[in-house]
Amino acid sequence: MSSNTKVQGRQKITDKTLWISVPKELDHHSAEQISQEADGLVRQKDIREIVFDFSDTVFCDSSGIGMLMGRYKMMKALGGNVRAVQAGERVGKILMLSGIMKIIPVEKKQGGMQDEKE
Amino acid sequence: MSSNTKVQGRQKITDKTLWISVPKELDHHSAEQISQEADGLVRQKDIREIVFDFSDTVFCDSSGIGMLMGRYKMMKALGGNVRAVQAGERVGKILMLSGIMKIIPVEKKQGGMQDEKE
Amino acid sequence: MKRNEMKIEFDSISDNEAFARVTVAAFMAQMNPSMEEVADVKTAVSEAVTNAIIHGYEGKVHKITITGVIEDALLSLEVADQGVGIRDVKKAMEPLYTSRPELERSGMGFLFMEAFMDEVQVSSRPGEGTIVTMKKMIGQHGE
Amino acid sequence: MKRNEMKIEFDSISDNEAFARVTVAAFMAQMNPSMEEVADVKTAVSEAVTNAIIHGYEGKVHKITITGVIEDALLSLEVADQGVGIRDVKKAMEPLYTSRPELERSGMGFLFMEAFMDEVQVSSRPGEGTIVTMKKMIGQHGE
Ligand SMILES: Nc1ncnc2c1ncn2[C@@H]1O[C@H](COP(=O)(O)OP(=O)(O)O)[C@@H](O)[C@H]1O
Ligand SMILES: Nc1ncnc2c1ncn2[C@@H]1O[C@H](COP(=O)(O)OP(=O)(O)O)[C@@H](O)[C@H]1O
């Protein structure tokens, strides 16, 4: 596989960046799935950055925060980093409240997988 | 009041026709409300026809059929009539299954309050 | 085998007809149903709940329960009231039969339940209440 | 006074987190809530139900119940499990405290419940289970 391959519907890898399209509802159920998938890819491939794209996400609870924190710790340990993009109003509110914006850069409504797709 | 008045958000009277915009979900709860409102207007005003506009309706059960039958009987007794317009796929299926199309003309996706509004 | 179970209990007021429909639709969402299957099940639930409110409890406020079970692709629903019950179930299930024509009932409730579900069973005892059991295979489209 | 009541009971599997949220949202629909109020309540319910699944039952499949009561503009919710319970409720409710960091819990569950509801009370007994009671005034916007 080249370093510019779509891996699944919800993920793609561009250069050394793993883009993850976060589902409509980010809760304990979906957060566990995303974590597993992301960790598998990071183990297999040379990934320096994970970008979480919240374009489609209308619901997020504290399990989502745990998922982001977990990926952040893993990437830090590997010398990489984590970003969140395309956060809508609700997701922005939750990320703000959690204080995670102090350690993970969060962009609202610009960039992200939506724009990256051909 | 003139004979060309909007009575409520969901109804209007044009000449001697009462147009009723059926809500999103037509069940026992909403059917009772519509029947009461329609019957009140028919008692007060000179109405020869009731047109039920299903543009917005995505759910209908047998209480909706009972409501239509009841208005049909009332208008027949007064020498008037009843029509249904703008029936979508689901409403069409329910009206078909009920057999009510044999006594009340049903139009799909043309005419109706949507087009009549200025 | 995939299995899941839920039970809801709510007051017999007409506001809760929509609540019951949405709840059952949310429960079956994990079965990957088509839009039409969801609409079919919502219609059947609406009929059974409306009957419990109007006929079972005759407008008085008591409890209605819905039990839902998912076993792989099979959805089973039970709508129960502890109302007046039905003396002659066979007659009640005849198309167009209604005991309350003055309430503009069309007598098509059981007809719709049977049209939209694969199986409908009614168990009732006068003075004790009614249980309507309905089953439908879900998400088998395109197979 | 407008009053309505419901109770749901479901298996402690993560599929049912979304089910619980949608059910409570459907129940409160009759209170004419704002989109934000619905999102706030869904988040609080999601936290309490997730806790019952992960902490209360430690991943094993048992029953969770949610009771909802509407009294005019007041929504009261009770999320209950019969799981392991909480020894020190005060400590459990401290922001960022979690007993399961290895499961990537953030310790923000109670924080979110308190942020999004007007009132949160926890009653728990080790070995018997936990009841989280939450209240919120709904639909008072623009007054
Ligand atoms: N839960 C119930 N409790 C008591 N009687 C019922 C119940 N459900 C149905 N019935 C009886 O069965 C009849 C037929 O029901 P149905 O086909 O739904 O038509 P409808 O509700 O329009 O009368 C009702 O008129 C009523 O007499
Ligand atoms: N239903 C429950 N049963 C048992 N323990 C619970 C329950 N809910 C919460 N707890 C305890 O309270 C702690 C804090 O909960 P919370 O603030 O939601 O954070 P988190 O779920 O991220 O751990 C949990 O780690 C757990 O020890």
Side-chain angles (χ1 to χ4, degrees), chain D residues 72-90:
Chain D
D72 290 329
L74 180 66
L75 175 69
S76 306
L77 298 171
E78 230 181 71
V79 180
D81 65 64
Q82 280 88 57
V84 298
I86 305 176
R87 205 177 315 237
D88 185 344
V89 169
K90 192 151 168 279

Side-chain angles (χ1 to χ4, degrees), chain D residues 2-4 27 31 68-77 118-119 134-140:
Chain D
K2 186 185 166 74
R3 195 188 153 86
N4 198 357
F27 179 64
M31 303 178 85
V69 179
I70 292 168
E71 288 159 314
D72 290 329
L74 180 66
L75 175 69
S76 306
L77 298 171
D118 295 338
E119 204 185 306
M134 305 186 277
K135 293 178 194 287
K136 189 179 177 74
M137 294 296 288
I138 301 293
Q140 304 295 84

Side-chain angles (χ1 to χ4, degrees), chain B residues 62-63, chain C residues 47-57 79-81 83-89 91-101 104-113 122 124 129-132:
Chain B
S62 77
S63 299
Chain C
E47 299 298 348
V49 169
T50 301
N51 280 352
I53 293 174
I54 296 179
H55 303 299
Y57 291 129
V79 179
D81 65 63
V84 298
I86 305 175
R87 205 176 315 237
D88 184 345
V89 170
K91 186 171 169 202
M93 292 181 82
E94 278 170 14
L96 305 186
Y97 171 80
T98 178
S99 57
R100 305 297 297 271
E104 296 196 342
R105 304 307 301 158
S106 62
M108 293 182 191
F110 283 124
L111 186 73
F112 280 18
M113 289 182 241
V122 179
S124 186
T130 301
I131 301 176
V132 178

Side-chain angles (χ1 to χ4, degrees), chain D residues 1-133:
Chain D
M1 194 181 79
K2 186 185 166 74
R3 195 188 153 86
N4 198 357
E5 235 183 275
M6 67 97 181
K7 187 169 161 180
I8 56 174
E9 185 185 287
F10 52 91
D11 289 341
S12 57
I13 60 181
S14 66
D15 266 319
N16 287 336
E17 291 158 6
F19 167 68
R21 292 196 294 271
V22 176
T23 301
V24 172
F27 179 64
M28 71 185 284
Q30 61 196 274
M31 303 178 85
N32 191 30
S34 68
M35 300 262 289
E36 190 169 14
E37 285 170 334
V38 175
D40 287 355
V41 171
K42 283 173 104 169
T43 308
V45 167
S46 201
E47 299 297 348
V49 169
T50 301
N51 280 351
I53 293 174
I54 296 179
H55 303 299
Y57 292 129
E58 301 177 311
K60 293 187 248 25
V61 181
H62 296 290
K63 298 294 177 195
I64 298 171
T65 56
I66 301 182
T67 311
V69 179
I70 292 168
E71 288 159 314
D72 290 329
L74 180 66
L75 175 69
S76 306
L77 298 171
E78 230 181 71
V79 180
D81 65 64
Q82 280 88 57
V84 298
I86 305 176
R87 205 177 315 237
D88 185 344
V89 169
K90 192 151 168 279
K91 187 172 168 197
M93 292 182 82
E94 277 171 16
L96 305 186
Y97 171 79
T98 178
S99 56
R100 305 298 296 272
E102 79 284 10
L103 294 180
E104 298 197 338
R105 305 306 302 159
S106 62
M108 294 181 190
F110 283 124
L111 186 73
F112 280 19
M113 290 182 243
E114 291 187 310
F116 294 129
M117 302 295 284
D118 295 338
E119 204 185 306
V120 178
Q121 274 172 6
V122 179
S123 122
S124 186
R125 223 181 267 260
E128 290 184 20
T130 301
I131 300 176
V132 178
T133 308

Side-chain angles (χ1 to χ4, degrees), chain A residues 48-94:
Chain A
R48 313 312 314 263
E49 187 183 43
I50 304 180
V51 182
F52 290 94
D53 181 341
F54 282 92
S55 300
D56 301 334
T57 310
V58 293
F59 179 86
C60 176
D61 67 14
S62 77
S63 299
I65 305 299
M67 184 274 286
L68 286 173
M69 287 295 301
R71 284 342 102 221
Y72 169 80
K73 285 180 191 161
M74 174 180 69
M75 291 309 283
K76 271 291 133 181
L78 299 170
N81 64 293
V82 166
R83 286 193 293 135
V85 299
Q86 293 280 30
E89 214 180 309
R90 185 71 197 174
V91 170
K93 186 175 179 177
I94 297 283

Side-chain angles (χ1 to χ4, degrees), chain B residues 3-95:
Chain B
S3 64
N4 207 325
T5 321
K6 244 190 177 142
V7 180
Q8 263 205 20
R10 298 215 261 106
Q11 305 148 353
K12 70 170 183 176
I13 296 171
T14 315
D15 297 324
K16 297 184 171 183
T17 298
L18 170 59
W19 296 80
I20 295 182
S21 176
V22 181
K24 237 178 129 207
E25 313 219 314
L26 180 56
D27 61 2
H28 161 239
H29 184 71
S30 55
E32 281 200 336
Q33 287 172 1
I34 294 173
S35 298
Q36 270 172 28
E37 290 164 10
D39 295 3
L41 288 167
V42 169
R43 261 195 303 276
Q44 286 163 39
K45 294 177 201 293
D46 182 21
I47 288 170
R48 315 311 314 261
E49 186 183 43
I50 304 180
V51 182
F52 291 95
D53 181 341
F54 282 93
S55 300
D56 301 335
T57 310
V58 294
F59 180 86
C60 177
D61 67 15
S62 77
S63 299
I65 306 298
M67 184 274 287
L68 287 173
M69 288 294 301
R71 282 346 99 220
Y72 169 81
K73 285 180 191 161
M74 173 179 70
M75 291 309 283
K76 272 290 133 185
L78 298 171
N81 63 293
V82 165
R83 289 192 292 135
V85 298
Q86 293 280 30
E89 215 181 308
R90 184 72 198 172
V91 171
K93 187 176 179 176
I94 297 283
L95 296 183

